[in-house]
């Protein structure tokens, strides 16, 4: 089983490492140490500032590779990427940190192609059917994404939802993400080979 960590926009561009950005390196190190994954990849992405769907999805599918034995952890724009991946591909599970369902009135986000109407309607039923599990994290003090957006995503997906009051936009490492992924994989006895 593999784990991909997909960053938010604004991180170093592919192929530069993202391990010093936000929580990515810490989570990658802890998940690798768990021995539940054959590979944990913090994915630096091309077009990292604009985070365009038309570039990110092909990069993940054709360059990095995904399949039904892949867990995708997505943060911010990476969470939207994980959702759109799951509309079309079977995954072991997705973990969303700071997910939203609209472009938040931002023209740059609108141009990225993740959100309706330009990105098409969210296909919630396909996402649920294609994921072995869905875990979601949000913080009420997120300065970019209103908690109501995250709650609507959770309601649409029936995700295992964890809400904090003090994690902002998840710029710092947080152990809960590792704890929940490890617990989920151990409890569900998801095949790792």
């Amino acid at each position: 089983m593999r784990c991909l960590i997909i960053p938010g926009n604004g991180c170093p561009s592919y192929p530069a490492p993202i391990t010093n950005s936000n929580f990515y390196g810490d989570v990658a190190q802890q998940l690798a140490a768990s021995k539940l994954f054959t590979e944990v990849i913090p994915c630096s992405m091309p077009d990292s500032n604009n985070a365009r769907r038309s570039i990110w999805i092909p990069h993940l599918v054709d360059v990095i590779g995904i399949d039904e034995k892949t867990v995708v952890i997505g943060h911010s724009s990476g969470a939207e990427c994980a959702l759109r991946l799951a509309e079309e591909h079977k995954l072991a599970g997705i973990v969303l940190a700071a997910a939203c369902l609209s472009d938040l009135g931002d023209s740059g986000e609108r141009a990225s192609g993740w959100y309706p109407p330009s990105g098409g309607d969210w296909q919630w039923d396909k996402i649920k059917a294609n994921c072995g599990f869905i875990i979601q994290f949000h913080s009420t003090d997120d300065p970019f994404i209103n908690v109501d957006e995250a709650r609507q995503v959770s309601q649409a997906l029936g995700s295992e939802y964890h809400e904090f009051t003090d994690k902002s936009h998840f710029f710092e490492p947080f152990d809960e993400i590792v704890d929940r992924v490890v617990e989920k994989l151990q409890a569900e006895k998801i095949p790792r080979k």
Side-chain angles (χ1 to χ4, degrees):
M1 180 171 290
R2 299 168 73 226
C3 180
L4 307 181
I5 301 170
I6 306 173
N9 62 6
C11 287
S13 283
Y14 179 80
I18 60 166
T19 51
N20 290 327
S21 300
N22 301 315
F23 61 82
Y24 314 138
D26 181 72
V27 166
Q29 185 177 22
Q30 288 188 59
L31 288 176
S34 77
K35 306 289 188 204
L36 292 170
F37 297 97
T38 57
E39 189 174 29
V40 179
I41 305 171
C43 300
S44 63
M45 302 297 288
D47 189 47
S48 62
N49 288 326
N50 297 314
R52 285 177 287 202
R53 179 181 179 180
S54 62
I55 296 172
W56 279 28
I57 296 286
H59 178 74
L60 289 164
V61 173
D62 300 331
V63 177
I64 305 296
I66 60 165
D67 62 21
E68 68 279 354
K69 293 180 184 159
T70 304
V71 172
V72 176
I73 298 173
H75 173 230
S76 196
S77 295
E80 278 63 70
C81 182
L83 291 167
R84 291 300 189 179
L85 273 172
E87 287 180 345
E88 301 296 328
H89 302 275
K90 288 215 173 277
L91 300 168
I94 58 174
V95 181
L96 311 170
C100 60
L101 50 76
S102 78
D103 61 29
L104 307 169
D106 182 276
S107 61
E109 294 291 340
R110 189 172 308 112
S112 68
W114 301 116
Y115 310 99
S118 64
D121 291 336
W122 290 106
Q123 298 177 48
W124 303 118
D125 289 337
K126 283 187 177 181
I127 295 168
K128 291 187 282 189
N130 282 338
C131 293
F133 63 86
I134 303 171
I135 303 171
Q136 186 179 346
F137 298 93
H138 201 80
S139 190
T140 58
D141 64 343
D142 188 316
F144 307 114
I145 301 171
N146 185 291
V147 69
D148 292 335
E149 290 254 340
R151 290 173 182 160
Q152 288 177 56
V153 170
S154 177
Q155 184 175 21
L157 292 173
S159 65
E160 177 188 314
Y161 182 72
H162 302 272
E163 190 172 284
F164 302 95
T165 59
D166 60 352
K167 302 287 186 201
S168 183
H169 195 61
F170 299 100
F171 294 120
E172 301 296 326
F174 66 110
D175 291 336
E176 292 87 351
I177 195 167
V178 173
D179 295 344
R180 289 306 306 132
V181 169
V182 168
E183 288 170 13
K184 180 64 76 175
L185 292 178
Q186 289 174 336
E188 307 243 343
K189 296 184 172 85
I190 295 172
R192 295 190 295 265
K193 299 189 185 209

